[in-house]
């Protein structure tokens, strides 16, 4: 089986590449910048040039490929719009996959996207889901909620560096998951027909609100967070402002996620959750390991500095 991973340099994509290589699969990665993807080549993947914003580059990248794993999505800092990448680019990829007869197409969407179709990115994800379902291809759609790795810069580092954490007044809960666990589940699904032509949830064991994550970080770090709450109306005003400029549309789309209020229905475990054959890492364990390493490093640094101070002599 030859796998083409789209978005292999991303947070989830790189873990999928590594896991697939470890399992003995032949892995190719679609990249726009070979220097940025050099670490994937070092791992053993083959780099293929391709750009979702340039549909003509896609068909040639599918030569000899039997399975596509599409983990790419637009970044808020990207110069492209979500319409360009998450719709027109993905649509071109799907059409090319149909032409060459791809055996399996794996796509990543967002949990509860159907409850928030007014958010542009989620609307595009829903449209792509429908296209896959009617494509005639063998597909699996994994609906994800969020990943541990994104919480470090959002919560952990600001607390350690005594910076302000900006939170919405009432945030929607997220079932965060470790990307390594997600990658293992995805790669394991390649050898099974259980999830053929199905949409399944790929989420963590527990739903967390922003407030609960901050409290956990405070307990593990021994520090008190500086929190400022942003009213929903402020998110709405900022989003509308950023929508005035095309180069900030992606930021505006991300801000709209902050307008999703806490809803008891969003905490309910979905009925289509994947059957886990591994023990998932908990958020508590992940953050405990992170803070443990950071605090140990700080103690060692402080000790070395104190030793140097003791070596200073005065004549």
């Amino acid at each position: 089986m030859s796998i083409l991973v789209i978005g292999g340099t991303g947070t989830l994509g790189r873990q999928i590449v590594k896991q697939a290589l470890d399992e003995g699969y032949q892995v190719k990665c679609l990249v726009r910048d070979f220097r940025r993807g050099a670490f994937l080549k070092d791992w053993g993947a083959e780099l293929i040039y391709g750009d979702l914003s340039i549909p003509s580059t896609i068909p040639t990248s599918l030569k000899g490929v039997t399975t596509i794993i599409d983990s790419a999505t637009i970044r808020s800092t990207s110069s492209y719009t979500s319409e360009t990448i998450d719709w027109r680019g993905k649509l071109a990829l799907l059409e090319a996959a149909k032409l060459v007869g791809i055996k399996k197409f794996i796509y990543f969407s967002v949990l509860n996207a159907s409850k928030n179709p007014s958010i542009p990115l989620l609307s595009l994800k829903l449209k792509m889901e429908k296209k896959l379902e009617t494509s005639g291809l063998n597909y699996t759609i994994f609906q994800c909620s969020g990943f541990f790795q994104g919480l470090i810069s959002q919560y952990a580092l600001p607390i350690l560096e005594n910076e302000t954490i900006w939170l919405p007044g009432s945030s929607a809960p997220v079932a965060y998951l470790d990307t390594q666990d997600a990658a293992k589940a995805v790669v394991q699904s390649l050898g099974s027909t259980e999830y053929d032509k199905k949409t399944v949830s790929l989420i963590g064991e527990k739903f967390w609100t922003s407030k609960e994550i901050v409290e956990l970080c405070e307990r593990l770090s021994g520090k008190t967070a500086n929190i400022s709450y942003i009213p929903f109306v402020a998110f709405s005003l900022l989003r509308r402002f950023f929508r005035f400029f095309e180069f900030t549309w992606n930021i505006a789309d991300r801000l709209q996620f902050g307008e999703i209020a806490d809803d008891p229905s969003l905490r309910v475990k979905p009925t289509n959750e994947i059957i886990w054959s591994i023990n998932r890492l908990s958020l508590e364990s992940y953050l405990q390991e992170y803070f443990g390493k950071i605090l140990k490093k700080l103690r060692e640094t402080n000790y070395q500095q104190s030793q140097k101070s003791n070596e200073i002599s005065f004549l």
Side-chain angles (χ1 to χ4, degrees):
M1 180 185 293
S2 177
I3 303 169
L4 178 67
V5 179
I6 317 292
T9 59
T11 304
L12 174 60
R14 66 182 60 196
Q15 295 298 338
I16 291 174
V17 171
K18 190 174 188 307
Q19 184 64 30
L21 288 169
D22 289 346
E23 293 294 325
Y25 288 103
Q26 180 185 353
V27 180
K28 300 180 180 181
C29 297
L30 191 76
V31 296
R32 289 183 296 165
D33 187 337
F34 283 92
R35 286 182 298 179
R36 187 178 178 188
F39 70 97
L40 300 173
K41 185 177 181 179
D42 292 341
W43 289 353
E46 179 183 353
L47 302 187
I48 307 292
Y49 172 75
D51 190 337
L52 290 178
S53 69
I54 308 175
S56 60
T57 65
I58 296 174
T60 55
S61 68
L62 301 183
K63 184 178 180 181
V65 172
T66 59
T67 300
I68 292 175
I69 301 180
D70 176 17
S71 62
T73 193
I74 196 71
R75 291 186 173 94
S76 60
T77 56
S78 175
S79 58
Y80 299 109
T81 65
S82 56
E83 183 79 20
T84 299
I85 301 300
D86 284 280
W87 177 239
R88 292 197 294 268
K90 299 299 181 76
L91 202 55
L93 176 65
L94 178 58
E95 292 303 317
K98 290 162 62 175
L99 286 173
V100 302
I102 290 295
K103 302 299 183 183
K104 184 71 175 286
F105 195 116
I106 292 178
Y107 178 72
F108 294 91
S109 188
V110 180
L111 185 69
N112 293 320
S114 60
K115 296 181 180 179
N116 300 280
S118 62
I119 297 178
L121 180 59
L122 299 191
S123 176
L124 297 177
K125 291 286 188 182
L126 290 170
K127 287 168 63 177
M128 191 62 190
E129 285 187 32
K130 289 182 172 60
K131 284 291 184 181
L132 265 172
E133 291 167 355
T134 58
S135 67
L137 291 177
N138 182 19
Y139 67 88
T140 300
I141 298 170
F142 288 105
Q143 295 178 331
C144 306
S145 190
F147 298 111
F148 293 169
Q149 285 70 15
L151 300 177
I152 300 302
S153 60
Q154 190 175 359
Y155 298 100
L157 283 176
I159 289 177
L160 288 172
E161 297 175 1
N162 298 314
E163 296 178 350
T164 300
I165 298 176
W166 300 90
L167 300 178
S170 178
S171 62
V174 178
Y176 292 100
L177 177 68
D178 182 29
T179 54
Q180 292 187 24
D181 288 344
K184 289 176 183 178
V186 171
V187 174
Q188 284 179 3
S189 74
L190 297 175
S192 170
T193 60
E194 187 172 0
Y195 301 112
D196 287 356
K197 295 188 176 182
K198 289 183 180 179
T199 299
V200 294
S201 297
L202 189 66
I203 59 175
E205 295 180 331
K206 179 181 176 180
F207 285 85
W208 294 81
T209 63
S210 297
K211 184 179 179 181
E212 291 169 338
I213 296 172
V214 169
E215 291 173 350
L216 175 61
C217 289
E218 287 180 322
R219 177 165 56 83
L220 294 175
S221 67
K223 303 188 70 172
T224 301
N226 299 318
I227 304 174
S228 286
Y229 290 96
I230 306 174
F232 283 150
V233 66
F235 276 101
S236 181
L237 290 173
L238 281 171
R239 175 175 55 83
R240 291 174 185 174
F241 171 77
F242 283 121
R243 289 298 293 182
F244 279 118
F245 312 100
E246 185 174 350
F247 63 89
T248 55
W249 281 359
N250 297 328
I251 298 175
D253 292 347
R254 289 301 194 277
L255 282 171
Q256 197 166 359
F257 282 88
E259 298 177 49
I260 303 175
D262 192 359
D263 183 339
S265 67
L266 298 178
R267 290 178 175 265
V268 178
K269 283 278 188 177
T271 57
N272 65 337
E273 185 176 358
I274 191 173
I275 299 173
W276 289 93
S277 60
I278 59 173
N279 292 322
R280 283 166 288 179
L281 182 69
S282 68
L283 180 58
E284 294 97 328
S285 298
Y286 177 82
L287 288 176
Q288 186 174 33
E289 181 180 2
Y290 172 78
F291 281 115
K293 289 181 179 178
I294 293 297
L295 294 176
K296 180 182 178 182
K297 187 67 177 178
L298 288 174
R299 286 193 295 268
E300 290 174 351
T301 301
N302 291 335
Y303 175 77
Q304 291 171 359
Q305 290 176 344
S306 65
Q307 288 294 100
K308 288 183 181 179
S309 298
N310 292 334
E311 291 173 1
I312 299 175
S313 61
F314 296 91
L315 299 177

